[in-house]
Amino acid sequence: MLNRTDAGLSRRGYRWAIYTILFLVMGAGITLSHVMSNAASAIHRAAQPSVSDALSESRPHDLPALRERHELIGHYVDRIAKLVYWFDLLALGTAVILLYHVWVRFRVEDRLAHQASHEPLTGLGHRRAFEQRLANLHGAPHSLLLASIERFDRISSAYGHEFADHLTIGISARLSKVARQFEADVFRLDGGGFLLLYRHELGSPRFNDAVAALREQMTVPFVHRAHEVFPLLSLGAAEYPRHGSTPAQLLRNVVAASQSARRLGNGLLVTYSEELNAQAERRLDLEAQIVRAVERNELLLHFQPQQRLSDGSLSGFEALLRWRRNGLLVSPMEFIPAAEESGQIVAIGDWVLEEACRQIRRLQENNTPTSVAVNISPRQFLHPSFAAKIEDLLSKTGIDASLLELEITEGAVMEQTESAIGLLKHLRGLGLKLAIDDFGTGYSSLGYLKRFPIDKLKIDQSFIRQLEHTTQDAAIVRAVIDLGCNLEMCVTAEGVETLAQREWLQRAGCDQIQGYLYGKPMPATEALAFARARWVAGCGEPA
């Protein structure tokens, strides 16, 4: 099979052969016209002496006939010469037209050949071009870098496809500049992904310099129509042929490295290792199993109690999702991100809401009405039918809406701020309680916080864990408690595990705590018994 260079040389040789034939035809026509013109003149000159002799020797009555015969011969010779001339002119014109059409066709072929290996927006080579380039390396070590624009889909949805196209073109220009400096080839893999093939081994000083130059290019913002963006690139790296000798294998491995870098965030560089593919396979298997988890009744809820610090009473529960797979509990830290990424979190979140409402109804029927908080994922919160599902669920279960508390992360409400505020007000109007979960770990926009109809702030356990030893964490926790108090919001501290932490929070004015000190997450039946015991003891009245 001819490679790209051999095919190009063969195509150029074929074209020059056609051009040569056409030019030969044109030259032959011009030459023939010139020859016929000279031949006609020569015939006239050669015939003139013979005619003159014949006229001088002929009788007078034969002269008109001889002159007529001479003129007739000259006439036919001229006609033949003119026919040959016009034929040659027609052939020459035909050759010129053919030459033009052949030239146009070759230009179209060149354009189609370029389009077959390059994408139209940036003019960079695409995957097929990369595969052809890799086939010509013949085992020579090269480094492959996959640079993916972080949050590219969010940028596109926020500012429109036109801005995303300008951003893509701008980034491709910057990457091409770095590529020329470090002798690399650039290809566009997909919407926000670019491949850079370096002639240096992975981890070499030259490669490290190239990565540093690439990051330097990203420090300058992209501006288009008053929009300014500082895009980060998630960088995944692999080496040819050590990490893959075929395009499919090498791409698979560099994509695995890039996906790992994207999950870590902050524009990190991740080099491929076999463990990355193993993790990806486990993740895909997990995603496939999650789809069936609800049908197989493998999901269950545990409920962790929350304590009111003012009187030590039970203030509510938080519903925590658990997955029992093959008899073993799968860590939420493992399957929740997989469910988020695959989109199954919406269906799972709907199931959690239904189960939480059933537990609230059991608590009401048990004469121990206690609130239950449910974590709402960003995808679930931003789903168009989320409010309608809540209304239908309240109607179907008949529970007291004030006993259902929705915990929403800062990122979810900040993604589409104005619509999020409208949705929060609508949910608040239904009688639900609303809480910001893990406050202080996300956007923490105080300007928007005062506009959100929020009832509760939950302090992330990462601040509570080092509360007794780190003055910075203590200052943050105290500031959040004061903020909640001034905004008339209840403040709950998560992850409270020691009596010293509880006493510190109580002195600081925290309203509620949640953690192993007061109670571990427990199944639904144990949560009912826990609530009954607290109510019988007289410390279960809701706030």
Side-chain angles (χ1 to χ4, degrees), residues 30 40 45 118 126 155 220 228 261 377 475 501 515:
I30 294 172
R45 288 195 300 271
H118 295 73
H126 53 46
I155 293 172
V220 181
E228 186 179 64
S377 74
Q501 291 172 345

Side-chain angles (χ1 to χ4, degrees), residues 42-356:
I43 290 173
H44 281 294
R45 288 195 300 271
Q48 189 63 38
S50 300
V51 173
S52 299
D53 293 342
L55 288 174
S56 62
E57 295 175 0
S58 300
R59 293 184 294 272
H61 65 274
D62 294 330
L63 292 177
L66 286 172
R67 288 193 181 95
E68 183 179 354
R69 189 183 306 169
H70 173 68
E71 292 174 356
L72 186 62
I73 292 171
H75 173 70
Y76 280 117
V77 170
D78 290 340
R79 287 189 64 183
I80 292 172
K82 287 180 179 180
L83 286 174
V84 172
Y85 173 78
W86 283 110
F87 174 78
D88 288 343
L89 190 62
L90 180 63
L92 184 63
T94 302
V96 171
I97 293 173
L98 285 174
L99 184 64
Y100 172 76
H101 280 285
V102 168
W103 175 73
V104 170
R105 177 176 176 177
F106 286 161
R107 285 197 63 186
V108 172
E109 288 180 356
D110 288 339
R111 190 179 299 115
L112 292 175
H114 184 272
Q115 291 175 356
S117 59
H118 295 73
E119 60 94 23
L121 181 63
T122 63
L124 297 175
H126 53 46
R127 179 170 178 169
R128 183 179 298 178
F130 166 73
E131 293 173 352
Q132 293 173 345
R133 179 72 180 90
L134 202 67
N136 293 327
L137 297 183
H138 305 299
H142 280 64
S143 298
L144 183 64
L145 191 70
L146 175 54
S148 300
I149 306 173
E150 293 186 6
R151 303 178 295 113
F152 183 74
D153 292 337
R154 287 180 58 188
I155 293 172
S156 179
S157 61
Y159 297 142
H161 291 290
E162 181 185 359
F163 181 87
D165 287 345
H166 280 278
L167 176 63
T168 303
I169 294 171
I171 288 183
S172 69
R174 297 187 184 189
L175 296 182
S176 299
K177 180 180 178 181
V178 175
R180 287 191 299 270
Q181 183 181 355
F182 291 91
E183 301 176 333
D185 298 311
V186 188
F187 309 87
R188 187 183 179 197
L189 186 60
D190 53 26
F194 298 87
L195 290 171
L196 292 95
L197 187 63
Y198 292 96
R199 302 174 186 178
H200 323 291
E201 293 186 8
L202 203 62
S204 65
R206 187 68 171 163
F207 176 79
N208 294 335
D209 291 342
V211 173
L214 195 64
R215 286 173 169 159
E216 180 66 24
Q217 285 291 323
M218 293 300 108
T219 59
V220 181
F222 288 89
V223 180
H224 177 67
R225 293 188 177 179
H227 296 302
E228 186 179 64
V229 174
F230 288 85
L232 289 175
L233 295 180
S234 298
L235 304 176
E239 186 175 306
Y240 169 87
R242 181 160 61 99
H243 295 145
S245 57
T246 64
Q249 187 179 16
L250 192 61
L251 280 176
R252 176 196 176 196
N253 293 339
V254 77
V255 166
S258 177
Q259 289 176 343
S260 178
R262 183 176 298 180
R263 283 193 291 271
L264 294 173
N266 296 322
L268 294 178
L269 169 65
V270 174
T271 302
Y272 169 76
S273 65
E274 293 184 1
E275 177 60 24
L276 290 178
N277 274 339
Q279 291 175 2
E281 290 177 4
R282 287 197 299 268
R283 196 177 186 88
L284 287 174
D285 178 63
L286 206 61
E287 291 177 6
Q289 295 298 324
I290 287 174
V291 176
R292 302 292 183 186
V294 177
E295 300 174 4
R296 296 171 180 167
N297 294 320
E298 295 177 344
L299 298 180
L300 64 154
L301 288 185
H302 282 187
F303 298 87
Q304 186 170 29
Q306 299 169 340
Q307 184 185 37
R308 190 178 298 104
L309 290 179
S310 59
D311 56 9
S313 63
L314 171 68
S315 61
F317 291 96
E318 179 180 0
L320 301 173
L321 182 62
R322 298 290 183 263
W323 180 16
R324 189 175 297 279
R325 180 188 179 197
N326 299 328
L328 301 174
L329 285 176
V330 181
S331 170
M333 299 297 293
E334 186 175 356
F335 74 84
I336 292 295
E340 281 274 10
E341 191 169 322
S342 66
Q344 290 298 318
I345 194 66
V346 176
I348 292 175
D350 292 342
W351 179 87
V352 171
L353 276 171
E354 291 179 9
E355 288 299 310

